[in-house]
Amino acid sequence: MRIGITCYPTYGGSGIVATELGLELALRGHQVHFISYANPIRLDPDTPNIHYHEVEVSTYPLFQYPPYALALASRMYEVAEHEHLDLLHVHYAIPHSISALLAQQMTKNRYLPFVTTLHGTDITLVGTDRSYFPITKFSIEESDGITTISEFMRKQTEEFFGITKPVEVIHNFVNCDLYTPNPEARTVGKKRILHISNFRPVKRVLDCVRALAKVREHVDADLVMAGDGPDRGPCELLARQLGVQAHMRFLGKQDHMERLIPRMHALHLPSETEAFGLAALEAMACGVPPVATLTGGLPDLITHGVDGYMEPVGDIDAQAARLTEILSDAPLHERLSAAARKTAETRFCAKLLIPRYEQYYQKVCAAGELG
Ligand code: GMT
């Protein structure tokens, strides 16, 4: 098939999922055309069957807000025409699905279907800014296919937007050959807890620092913070206040998580909510057990006490106690680590989930031809 993919190309789970999906589809022989304002971070455009089409947005002084959605729609239309795309697949509703709808309407000689995948923040953002509600609901309803990444998100989409069309759950996936355990890498040095995020308030990064202080009452552990964002400064301040700054490392944004994660002993993901929790899946594939919060789509991924733990949001004592258990009880760590890898391998490997997208695309295209 010839597929056009649009996503936010910067750091963020939805862009990562879209990029990995495109790469996997290209490996399976599809022609994949990324249409975005920048090259997605994990994408090497030199990969066979991968094509990249940049969206240029003019910054004429009249435009206080450059009309990206329109520039994107034009580019989608052009690429679809020249490359004979079978369908567009947009990740994140705002504004990508509206652009796809416009591109579809501009395509007069045939039907150009589009699929929208909702990743979570496209709902929470609309939840906090109602000005986007009518247009987001409209663009989701007009999509030829709607997918999302967890059961929780399916319910949220249906309830929040009142969508009556079927919403297909296709869980996030991981490349199980790239993300693999490396137990030897964990034998060197101190115990290490990893946190990965964009440091937005929803990630509750300060809870990582508070938990570290409690864990260190029992285990000599370090906290490794990967990523960057608005709460990094407050995090550094809190680390100094709690006297744990010498046991924390801020790595900033990382391009090769598959090299970093296997060196860690546990992942701490104390988020307020997570539509899925891709960071937890990547950790599990590397045999690194997650201590996460019982929220959002995380129960789709983690089985509490088997391949990781989920504790209430904001319950630092409970989260720290789980991290302490994992770091101080070697047989428990081994058991959780093996189970985490098994969960990733048996339920969330790319090779299991990419065919689900392929089948879904075929269904959407067939319905478009009939209609
Ligand atoms: O977590 C973020 O802030 C980034 C966000 C995004 O839209 O890029 O991530 C969302 O999509 C990821 C990939 O599907 C999910 O794994 C994350 O759980 C989800 N984030 C939230 O729901 C907060």
Side-chain angles (χ1 to χ4, degrees):
M1 289 182 82
R2 291 174 295 267
I3 303 147
I5 294 185
T6 293
C7 63
Y8 282 106
T10 50
Y11 293 78
S14 59
I16 290 170
V17 170
T19 308
E20 301 283 359
L21 171 62
L23 289 169
E24 295 285 346
L25 288 167
L27 262 180
R28 296 167 72 94
H30 301 281
Q31 295 299 321
V32 181
H33 295 262
F34 281 88
I35 309 167
S36 186
Y37 64 82
N39 189 44
I41 50 150
R42 287 195 190 177
L43 186 75
D44 175 359
D46 202 22
T47 312
N49 299 339
I50 290 284
H51 313 268
Y52 167 59
H53 308 268
E54 190 144 319
V55 180
E56 282 171 31
V57 194
S58 65
T59 51
Y60 189 65
L62 188 66
F63 301 151
Q64 193 182 348
Y65 305 104
Y68 176 65
L70 301 185
L72 175 61
S74 286
R75 198 79 176 109
M76 283 171 159
Y77 164 72
E78 280 173 358
V79 176
E81 284 293 280
H82 295 148
E83 305 294 342
H84 309 287
L85 297 187
D86 295 304
L87 103 166
L88 297 169
H89 184 180
V90 302
H91 293 258
Y92 219 92
I94 312 165
H96 302 155
S97 51
I98 276 296
S99 303
L101 178 59
L102 286 173
Q104 179 183 72
Q105 289 175 354
M106 289 163 78
T107 309
K108 299 286 182 212
N109 53 344
R110 68 194 172 97
Y111 191 71
L112 175 66
F114 73 97
V115 172
T116 300
T117 293
L118 296 160
H119 285 268
T121 41
D122 29 16
I123 286 191
T124 33
L125 182 74
V126 175
T128 50
D129 188 341
R130 299 291 292 187
S131 58
Y132 295 116
F133 184 88
I135 197 150
T136 309
K137 177 174 160 62
F138 176 66
S139 70
I140 295 172
E141 278 169 343
E142 291 297 307
S143 303
D144 298 280
I146 312 161
T147 80
T148 192
I149 53 170
S150 62
E151 271 305 320
F152 165 79
M153 271 297 293
R154 184 181 61 73
K155 286 191 199 105
Q156 286 272 102
T157 309
E158 288 169 356
E159 282 163 23
F160 186 80
F161 288 111
I163 303 286
T164 48
K165 271 187 173 178
V167 178
E168 181 96 354
V169 175
I170 306 180
H171 285 121
N172 282 344
F173 54 86
V174 66
N175 181 332
C176 291
D177 301 323
L178 191 61
Y179 286 77
T180 51
N182 181 1
E184 285 89 66
R186 291 198 288 262
T187 55
V188 196
K190 283 156 74 174
K191 300 290 183 197
R192 288 175 293 274
I193 302 166
L194 176 65
H195 173 77
I196 309 169
S197 80
N198 50 21
F199 287 55
R200 287 188 301 115
V202 70
K203 302 293 176 179
R204 297 184 64 102
V205 285
L206 299 180
D207 288 3
C208 293
V209 187
R210 293 191 184 102
L212 174 70
K214 288 184 185 292
V215 169
R216 286 194 51 78
E217 290 168 14
H218 311 278
V219 189
D220 185 15
D222 280 350
L223 174 60
V224 177
M225 306 289 274
D228 210 341
D231 278 350
R232 176 172 169 165
C235 216
E236 286 175 314
L237 178 65
L238 181 65
R240 285 194 293 277
Q241 285 167 347
L242 297 180
V244 291
Q245 74 275 23
H247 307 287
M248 284 184 67
R249 278 192 299 141
F250 290 90
L251 304 182
K253 293 171 180 173
Q254 294 292 305
D255 283 345
H256 289 283
M257 296 309 299
E258 77 283 2
R259 295 181 197 160
L260 174 72
I261 300 172
R263 303 205 297 265
M264 304 293 141
H265 297 88
L267 178 89
H268 190 192
L269 193 65
S271 308
E272 185 78 37
T273 185
E274 279 297 340
F276 180 84
L278 185 63
L281 173 57
E282 291 181 343
M284 289 166 78
C286 297
V288 176
V291 173
T293 34
L294 182 54
T295 184
L298 283 160
D300 278 21
L301 173 62
I302 300 170
T303 306
H304 180 71
V306 175
D307 49 22
Y309 292 113
M310 289 175 294
E311 296 295 347
V313 174
D315 190 341
I316 318 283
D317 285 338
Q319 293 166 31
R322 293 303 187 187
L323 287 165
T324 305
E325 266 180 53
I326 294 177
L327 300 185
S328 53
D329 182 340
L332 173 73
H333 183 273
E334 211 169 298
R335 190 159 45 76
L336 291 169
S337 170
R341 171 69 193 177
K342 192 171 167 206
T343 298
E345 263 182 343
T346 55
R347 294 178 51 213
F348 298 102
C349 256
K351 58 174 176 268
L352 300 172
L353 288 149
I354 303 303
R356 294 275 316 280
Y357 276 109
E358 290 176 314
Q359 285 152 18
Y360 193 70
Y361 291 162
Q362 272 153 14
K363 195 169 111 182
V364 165
C365 288
E369 277 159 25
L370 287 176

